[in-house]
Amino acid sequence: METKFTLHDRESILKFLQDTINGSVELQQHVKKYEKGTVVFTQGQRLNYLSLILKGRANLRHVRYDGSSLDLLKFEPGHFMGLLAFTTGNPSLTTCTVVEDIYALRIEQSEFEQYVNDHPDLRSPLQILMMINMSDRFLQNLRLESQMHSLNQRLKAESEELRMAYRQLESSHQKLIHQEKMATLGELVAGFAHEINNPAAALIRSAEALKENFQELPETESMALMFKSGLDAEPISSSEIRERMLEIQKRFPYVEDRSATRKLAQMPELALEVIDSNRKKISITQLIQQFEAGKLIHNIQLASARIAGLVKSLKSYSRQDKNQAEMIDIRTGIKDTILVLTNRLKFLDVNIELNEIPETCARMGELNQVWTNILVNACEILPDGGQISIKTWSDENSIFVEIADNGPGIPPEVLSRIFEPNYTTKNQGSQFGLGLGLAISNQIIRKLGGNIEASNNKVAGAKFLTSIPIVKC
Amino acid sequence: MDNQIYIVIIEDELEVMEALLGDLEFIEPNFPLEAANNAEEAVSVMEQIEADGHKVGLLLCDHVLPGKNGIDLLIELQNHPTLKHSKKVLVTGQAGLEDTVQAINKAHLDYYIAKPWTKEELQEVVTEKLTDYVIENKLNLLQYMSALNATRLAEALRENGLTDT
């Protein structure tokens, strides 16, 4: 009798099969026992038989090309072992290992047709069972795909988080490097300033001593006057020299030497009168020499004073030894910064209006970094000249420092990002910026409870307004 | 005196200009000195020298100047019909590599003296470059024997068979 079975009914089919086997000695001979731990078939093996689990369990494992293994289905009673390999003829994709002693109906490929002819009531249930097995696998597949999809989503999200975290880390790292560099540079500058200090001091003292020494030397009043004229003489421009040389040539036609004419052109009226009155008495060369001596000493004094001033400002500017905040007049630092940046500011029109402001608690070195950053940016935006103005003032709560230029101004898209770390408009050729200058400056000011505001002037150029609260240490 | 060969110094810091003038006084009896504080003034001075019937044999130029810088000036002078023949020496503390390469390639810079200079180096370079100038421009070499490099002038005379006319 052929009974119809529904597709979902693995248990009842199994029961039917078991009953049929129990009632057939012949069939019982095809029931094989696999003990726990037995490998029923291995990955890559071609199978020409099929095993239906009547009792017991097995594990399917797939080994990947990279050596890692995947545990797939667990086989239970009603599952065929080796179904795919048997039906397709392809080598098995998996290795099947017994987990719980198995009793299985083993069906050889060569015998299968015979089987079914001998036991027609087995045909339908076997086929249905095979379908059930296949559909189980298919369902499993769907489940796995779904799991994979959600895993993928999670992976993408985590990946994105990691990327962001990495970017932040990079940025902090760069800031750290920059600060390290600044610290090292600051150390170098401070060391350098200390070193130059001594020779600079020696220069100044020697020049002064030389002056006093020479003042005793001239033997006549005329010579002394020439020397003194030289001491007081300020250098004059090339065009003025040219003009005066023409006058000298008319007034002193007997002076043929052009170098001598030039020297006379640099002398004040007092000295020229001395030369006139001594025309027949003292050689003009000697008088000129006295003047030159005075002038050269004066030049030495000017130059060494300049060196000393720069060194002083450099030391004051870096203030490496002050790691504590202290009560300071910010204007000193601003003046030092301006002096230290002389080279850059040389050909600009710099307007300074440092109104009186109260002291506040801060680190001068740090604040000098801020002014430097803003001023250097201004210099770079005015390569062919322009104006910079620096103003300070205060109200009862805050100190204000405004640095403005008359350059092209800040484009709106830059303005909104100007204090962002790693944001820079300097990326061409020799102009290279990390984009950290203003970001660090902003940080420094914010740490003090203050604020930097970048904006564009009504007329032309950009303006940076820094406000710092007035506090006691 | 006509047809004198001038040396023109271009330097904006007056003390440095004076120092250069001082170091070059040794050669002024034969090669008059002129100075300018910026590129514009320099060009007008040089054009005046030529208008007066003289020549500019050598330029000693600083790089950092108000307005146009030294190297740009030297490059532009290459387009000037007469001034391009003058010898060009850069005397500077502040020309970067890129700029200097430009000066060499585009302005055919003849020498680079780094500040601070030594008097000896300066005087030697000036003498040599003026020697180059008079030889290249086929001027009256005998006249300059005592002031410039006599050995090289003598050799040039031998090679070219030039005599005092």
Side-chain angles (χ1 to χ4, degrees):
Chain A
M1 173 187 74
E2 282 196 35
T3 330
K4 292 280 197 265
F5 300 100
T6 61
L7 264 175
H8 309 294
D9 210 347
R10 187 153 34 105
E11 283 79 35
S12 49
I13 299 180
L14 195 57
K15 183 155 189 325
F16 173 78
L17 286 170
Q18 186 73 70
D19 290 343
T20 312
I21 292 167
N22 289 344
S24 159
V25 170
E26 191 209 335
L27 279 176
Q28 277 167 28
Q29 284 180 345
H30 289 274
V31 174
K32 195 154 178 235
K33 179 184 180 190
Y34 295 93
E35 281 189 352
K36 174 172 169 178
T38 315
V39 174
V40 181
F41 55 81
T42 36
Q43 188 169 335
Q45 193 180 334
R46 282 185 211 270
L47 302 176
N48 51 12
Y49 62 90
L50 198 59
S51 301
L52 172 62
I53 300 180
L54 301 167
K55 200 167 158 197
R57 299 151 80 84
N59 185 40
L60 266 192
R61 169 172 289 185
H62 171 71
V63 178
R64 288 156 50 91
Y65 62 87
D66 62 3
S68 61
S69 56
L70 287 172
D71 280 339
L72 298 168
L73 297 176
K74 293 259 183 291
F75 279 154
E76 294 179 333
H79 279 136
F80 285 97
M81 295 187 287
L83 182 61
L84 275 180
F86 178 80
T87 51
T88 61
N90 289 333
S92 170
L93 292 172
T94 53
T95 299
C96 183
T97 315
V98 180
V99 171
E100 209 181 277
D101 288 358
I102 281 181
Y103 290 90
L105 183 67
R106 189 179 155 119
I107 310 168
E108 300 291 325
Q109 185 167 44
S110 50
E111 296 173 341
F112 188 66
E113 276 306 311
Q114 181 80 47
Y115 227 70
V116 170
N117 287 335
D118 290 347
H119 306 273
D121 46 342
L122 287 183
R123 180 199 298 269
S124 196
L126 278 176
Q127 283 175 342
I128 293 172
L129 203 56
M130 282 193 208
M131 290 268 274
I132 292 176
N133 268 256
M134 296 280 200
S135 69
D136 272 352
R137 301 279 189 109
F138 185 62
L139 269 174
Q140 173 88 349
N141 195 24
L142 281 179
R143 252 180 255 128
L144 283 172
E145 291 253 349
S146 169
Q147 259 180 17
M148 212 172 73
H149 179 79
S150 52
L151 274 173
N152 263 341
Q153 294 293 92
R154 236 177 64 194
L155 203 69
K156 253 195 261 180
E158 276 179 30
S159 181
E160 189 51 47
E161 271 178 40
L162 260 169
R163 230 187 303 238
M164 266 183 51
Y166 179 71
R167 270 197 291 253
Q168 279 180 340
L169 202 68
E170 265 292 322
S171 159
S172 306
H173 185 229
Q174 278 197 5
K175 257 195 233 168
L176 210 69
I177 292 183
H178 185 90
Q179 285 180 327
E180 277 284 317
K181 273 198 202 156
M182 291 305 293
T184 309
L185 204 61
E187 276 175 36
L188 285 174
V189 161
F192 180 71
H194 280 298
E195 286 302 314
I196 299 198
N197 222 13
N198 281 338
L203 251 177
I204 294 180
R205 295 312 323 140
S206 299
E208 183 61 32
L210 190 65
K211 182 174 100 174
E212 283 160 25
N213 205 309
F214 259 64
Q215 266 167 335
E216 307 293 311
L217 294 178
E219 289 159 350
T220 68
E221 203 189 306
S222 302
M223 297 291 229
L225 272 171
M226 292 304 287
F227 181 71
K228 181 150 191 323
S229 284
L231 280 179
D232 295 334
E234 294 300 336
I236 58 178
S237 73
S238 50
S239 45
E240 249 187 277
I241 293 179
R242 239 189 320 279
E243 258 179 58
R244 298 234 202 130
M245 272 172 81
L246 291 172
E247 289 168 19
I248 297 290
Q249 273 164 351
K250 289 191 203 120
R251 182 168 164 179
F252 296 88
Y254 59 88
V255 176
E256 291 176 346
D257 189 81
R258 197 180 150 93
S259 308
T261 307
R262 185 180 297 107
K263 294 201 175 112
L264 290 175
Q266 293 170 314
M267 288 184 193
E269 183 54 38
L270 175 65
L272 292 175
E273 279 172 17
V274 171
I275 294 194
D276 250 336
S277 57
N278 280 291
R279 209 169 129 170
K280 305 286 184 202
K281 298 172 227 166
I282 311 180
S283 116
I284 195 175
T285 313
Q286 279 194 300
L287 291 168
I288 293 178
Q289 264 179 355
Q290 281 293 144
F291 179 82
E292 283 289 286
K295 192 145 174 302
L296 286 167
I297 292 181
H298 181 64
N299 282 355
I300 293 176
Q301 285 188 306
L302 280 177
S304 40
R306 227 173 111 183
I307 293 177
L310 281 166
V311 171
K312 181 154 171 274
S313 281
L314 210 59
K315 284 173 66 179
S316 174
Y317 171 84
S318 60
R319 290 241 185 147
Q320 282 293 104
D321 42 351
K322 307 274 164 111
N323 270 320
Q324 295 277 61
E326 43 175 12
M327 295 302 288
I328 52 171
D329 183 345
I330 291 177
R331 293 180 297 171
T332 312
I334 296 179
K335 280 185 253 180
D336 286 334
T337 306
I338 293 171
L339 195 58
V340 161
L341 291 176
T342 299
N343 190 262
R344 297 249 198 171
L345 296 169
K346 230 172 18 167
F347 303 115
L348 300 174
D349 202 351
V350 182
N351 190 315
I352 306 174
E353 198 187 301
L354 303 181
N355 299 309
E356 183 120 9
I357 51 175
E359 292 189 342
T360 186
C361 190
R363 290 183 185 75
M364 194 79 93
E366 272 189 347
L367 287 178
N368 289 345
Q369 257 192 65
V370 176
W371 318 136
T372 304
N373 275 318
I374 299 175
L375 279 171
V376 167
N377 282 343
C379 289
E380 290 183 345
I381 214 70
L382 301 167
D384 300 317
Q387 288 172 358
I388 295 183
S389 84
I390 306 166
K391 295 196 187 111
T392 60
W393 71 93
S394 62
D395 63 23
E396 53 195 30
N397 296 317
S398 314
I399 294 171
F400 299 94
V401 178
E402 182 197 271
I403 301 176
D405 62 72
N406 69 344
I410 308 171
E413 64 272 11
V414 175
L415 197 54
S416 55
R417 303 183 64 182
I418 204 167
F419 293 113
E420 257 178 50
N422 298 311
Y423 182 72
T424 178
T425 56
K426 300 175 196 166
N427 272 317
Q428 298 134 4
S430 54
Q431 263 213 14
F432 174 77
L434 278 176
L436 293 174
L438 285 178
I440 291 182
S441 301
N442 197 25
Q443 216 179 44
I444 291 172
I445 299 293
R446 284 187 161 264
K447 226 172 47 173
L448 290 170
N451 187 46
I452 312 182
E453 193 189 292
S455 60
N456 286 311
N457 291 321
K458 289 197 192 71
V459 182
K463 178 165 68 178
F464 284 81
L465 179 59
T466 307
S467 52
I468 301 170
I470 302 170
V471 290
K472 297 229 179 295
C473 281
Chain B
M1 283 187 273
D2 338 280
N3 242 295
Q4 291 206 282
I5 299 175
Y6 275 66
I7 301 172
V8 175
I9 294 170
I10 310 169
E11 168 63 62
D12 68 303
E13 299 221 10
L14 302 180
E15 293 95 347
V16 180
M17 175 192 77
E18 280 184 23
L20 283 167
L21 286 167
D23 282 350
L24 293 178
E25 273 170 13
F26 81 106
I27 213 168
E28 189 154 32
N30 290 296
F31 298 91
L33 307 171
E34 265 296 350
N37 296 140
N38 60 64
E40 219 182 293
E41 192 191 328
V43 171
S44 112
V45 163
M46 291 193 284
E47 287 181 339
Q48 184 62 51
I49 290 173
E50 294 200 320
D52 291 342
H54 306 297
K55 289 186 168 31
V56 177
L58 172 63
L59 265 104
L60 283 167
C61 194
D62 185 17
H63 178 53
V64 180
L65 298 167
K68 188 185 302 173
N69 69 45
I71 290 182
D72 284 345
L73 171 65
L74 294 181
I75 293 176
E76 278 177 27
L77 287 177
Q78 284 300 101
N79 293 325
H80 194 287
T82 43
L83 291 175
K84 66 180 178 193
H85 300 296
S86 313
K87 291 294 158 191
K88 296 172 268 296
V89 173
L90 207 57
V91 181
T92 184
Q94 292 191 51
L97 180 61
E98 268 181 50
D99 286 338
T100 309
V101 168
Q102 280 276 81
I104 294 174
N105 293 339
K106 300 272 167 67
H108 303 287
L109 189 69
D110 293 295
Y111 210 87
Y112 180 110
I113 298 181
K115 280 181 186 162
W117 66 90
T118 58
K119 185 167 98 164
E120 290 72 28
E121 187 190 9
L122 185 69
Q123 293 184 341
E124 196 189 310
V125 170
V126 166
T127 307
E128 290 307 312
K129 294 305 148 193
L130 284 171
T131 307
D132 288 344
Y133 181 81
V134 303
I135 293 177
E136 283 166 27
N137 289 277
K138 302 199 191 316
L139 300 175
N140 185 336
L141 303 184
L142 277 179
Q143 184 184 349
Y144 300 109
M145 280 286 207
S146 57
L148 300 178
N149 187 329
T151 320
R152 288 180 53 206
L153 290 178
E155 213 179 286
L157 273 172
R158 244 195 329 274
E159 281 177 24
N160 301 324
L162 289 170
T163 49
D164 192 4
T165 37

